[in-house]
Amino acid sequence: SDSSDFQQEFSVEGTHENVTTRAFSALTTQLNASLALRISYELKNNSDPPEAGDEHTDRTTAASLLYSW
């Protein structure tokens, strides 16, 4: 619709030692002339994480209030 926007991104970065993938999705909706609300979800996967971290995938959920002037 005119007051909302859906965004998706996907990226892959690779070397001979490691592959990192990222997927991002966001829904933004205009609340009024100056404010918008964005809800987003991001996945980052590392094929060979550092020894200090044993998880291959990070997940981030966010809610943001956007102000424009």
Side-chain angles (χ1 to χ4, degrees):
S1 81
D2 293 336
S3 63
S4 62
D5 180 56
F6 183 69
Q7 174 186 3
Q8 284 191 303
E9 299 173 6
F10 183 76
S11 64
V12 178
E13 298 177 24
T15 67
H16 65 282
E17 298 175 356
N18 189 20
V19 176
T20 302
T21 56
R22 176 183 173 265
F24 175 82
S25 297
L27 177 63
T28 305
T29 186
Q30 199 69 35
L31 300 175
N32 61 33
S34 300
L35 291 175
L37 175 66
R38 175 179 290 160
I39 306 296
S40 62
Y41 186 71
E42 180 179 43
L43 288 171
K44 287 184 182 178
N45 183 277
N46 187 331
S47 66
D48 188 19
E51 290 181 24
D54 58 350
E55 287 293 321
H56 288 267
T57 303
D58 293 328
R59 296 164 182 85
T60 305
T61 303
S64 306
L65 189 60
L66 309 174
Y67 178 76
S68 61
W69 59 92

